[in-house]
Amino acid sequence: MRIISAPGELTELISSFKKNNQTIGFVPTMGALHDGHLSLIHQSLKENDLTVVSIFVNPLQFDNASDLEKYPRVIDEDIKMLGENHVDVVFVPEEQTFYPQKPIISIDFGVLSERLEGKFRKGHFEGVGVVISKFLHLVDPDRVYFGLKDLQQYLLIKRMCTDLQFQCKVIGVNTVREESGLALSSRNRRLSSEGLKVAAVINRGLNFIKKGIIEQSDLQRLLKEVNKIYESEKGFELEYLEVVNPADLSSIDNYSHLSELAICVAGYVEGVRLIDNLYLRLK
Ligand code: AMP
């Protein structure tokens, strides 16, 4: 496994792969890797000749200095895990060489970044857009992999790649969960064992709505009941719970006309911000 931190060294290596007509799969991450990341990596290993994984905690996408500072960083553990999983290249840029000057450019996703996460994390997607564009220029992959746990990120990047004609395929990978239903996340490392139990309520709420929708219950009633479930879980502080049309992420209060929807939630446990969603195909 090659471990590279200089962008120039990465592009040289990538051109040598391209000369040999090898296909490249790319998995961008912020590290503190877990089985969710591994599921993206395994899919890339299966579908491409070579797999490149990046580890970079991108300061541009954090609207909160303390969240950035507390983001878990365990680079030695990560590199060991990637080696054991037969990844070909790990790109771990230093902030100063990756951003020799703070980019003044920013990607505006219009109304799509004003909804859900974008409403609560100002500038988050603008920063994600810049870092992913930069990575896509450097790695020039055939396929890039994103987790559907971050549904809005996946949809926005897919749209960005269409609008800007990036040549890669954007592939969404299903969410990997704990037995309790809690979505795996690097942020879970910051939770106590009690906090992990509390956080399982997030997915219980989502499944309650899913079951209700399958039984064709009224959406407003379901949302009220789940809000009550969330309120009664001491230690969980809900930020938002919304059912949206995945086409434009607009909030819906009735699903009879829709062929798909997503139930999206964000909240805090022990001061740690967690998100999750369930996607449902209806027809
Ligand atoms: P992160 O390191 O949190 O930026 O995540 C890197 C990639 O892994 C993103 O595309 C995430 O959506 C994806 N990911 C994170 N957690 C999970 C999970 N539990 N299941 C599947 N993919 C995930």
Side-chain angles (χ1 to χ4, degrees):
M1 184 171 76
R2 295 278 299 264
I3 303 168
I4 292 180
S5 60
E9 200 183 323
L10 179 69
T11 49
E12 256 175 48
L13 186 65
I14 297 288
S15 351
S16 70
F17 294 158
K18 301 251 163 195
K19 270 189 207 131
N20 294 330
N21 289 324
Q22 288 167 299
T23 56
I24 299 172
F26 175 46
V27 182
T29 83
M30 298 204 295
L33 302 178
H34 50 67
D35 285 352
H37 296 111
L38 282 185
S39 149
L40 274 62
I41 290 167
H42 289 153
Q43 190 163 336
S44 171
L45 288 165
K46 241 190 279 163
E47 295 177 346
N48 303 279
D49 296 324
L50 294 153
T51 291
V52 178
V53 175
S54 63
I55 299 177
F56 181 59
V57 183
N58 174 36
L60 298 185
Q61 69 191 66
F62 284 80
D63 59 342
N64 176 319
S66 136
D67 193 25
L68 171 62
E69 190 202 318
K70 287 189 188 146
Y71 200 86
R73 292 166 172 88
V74 286
I75 192 73
D76 294 343
E77 245 179 66
D78 287 345
I79 286 180
K80 183 161 172 275
M81 191 191 261
L82 295 175
E84 286 167 356
N85 281 276
H86 314 291
V87 163
D88 301 279
V89 180
V90 190
F91 181 46
V92 268
E94 301 275 348
E95 190 181 329
Q96 300 87 315
T97 43
F98 195 68
Y99 295 133
Q101 51 185 353
K102 187 166 185 258
I104 53 166
I105 197 101
S106 141
I107 310 276
D108 183 348
F109 292 93
V111 71
L112 289 185
S113 62
E114 286 163 20
R115 295 181 171 150
L116 300 172
E117 286 298 281
K119 210 176 346 178
F120 292 91
R121 301 186 72 189
K122 288 286 166 234
H124 171 66
F125 289 116
E126 289 76 358
V128 170
V130 171
V131 79
I132 297 298
S133 307
K134 184 150 172 159
F135 277 138
L136 293 180
H137 285 306
L138 293 170
V139 180
D140 193 13
D142 296 275
R143 297 180 187 83
V144 62
Y145 296 84
F146 287 93
L148 294 175
K149 176 183 164 265
D150 299 287
L151 181 69
Q152 189 172 12
Q153 169 173 274
Y154 163 74
L155 294 170
L156 265 58
I157 297 296
K158 212 170 155 67
R159 181 62 193 265
M160 178 182 87
C161 289
T162 304
D163 286 357
L164 298 179
Q165 288 192 284
F166 279 99
Q167 292 302 303
C168 58
K169 253 189 154 173
V170 181
I171 294 171
V173 179
N174 286 335
T175 303
V176 180
R177 300 177 180 282
E178 304 265 12
E179 241 174 74
S180 68
L182 173 66
L184 297 192
S185 163
S186 306
R187 292 167 186 266
N188 294 356
R189 286 177 183 249
R190 291 176 51 207
L191 297 176
S192 68
S193 56
E194 187 48 38
L196 287 169
K197 278 188 213 148
V198 170
V201 77
I202 297 174
N203 188 243
R204 278 207 302 283
L206 292 177
N207 275 312
F208 184 94
I209 299 183
K210 175 180 172 179
K211 187 164 169 281
I213 290 177
I214 291 169
E215 290 164 357
Q216 311 213 319
S217 304
D218 175 67
L219 187 53
Q220 291 311 308
R221 187 176 65 71
L222 290 171
L223 286 168
K224 249 190 222 154
E225 287 182 34
V226 173
N227 271 302
K228 264 194 233 150
I229 295 176
Y230 284 154
E231 263 168 38
S232 64
E233 184 72 44
K234 281 205 186 73
F236 179 62
E237 193 191 320
L238 180 68
E239 189 165 67
Y240 66 76
L241 168 65
E242 277 188 53
V243 180
V244 301
N245 179 349
D248 61 2
L249 299 174
S250 59
S251 198
I252 55 163
D253 47 24
N254 172 335
Y255 54 89
S256 56
H257 58 298
L258 288 179
S259 57
E260 55 171 3
L261 58 75
I263 316 157
C264 302
V265 60
Y268 287 86
V269 176
E270 296 177 337
V272 179
R273 189 171 187 281
L274 302 170
I275 63 170
D276 199 355
N277 71 80
L278 277 188
Y279 169 87
L280 269 183
R281 183 159 283 287
L282 302 172
K283 287 170 194 156

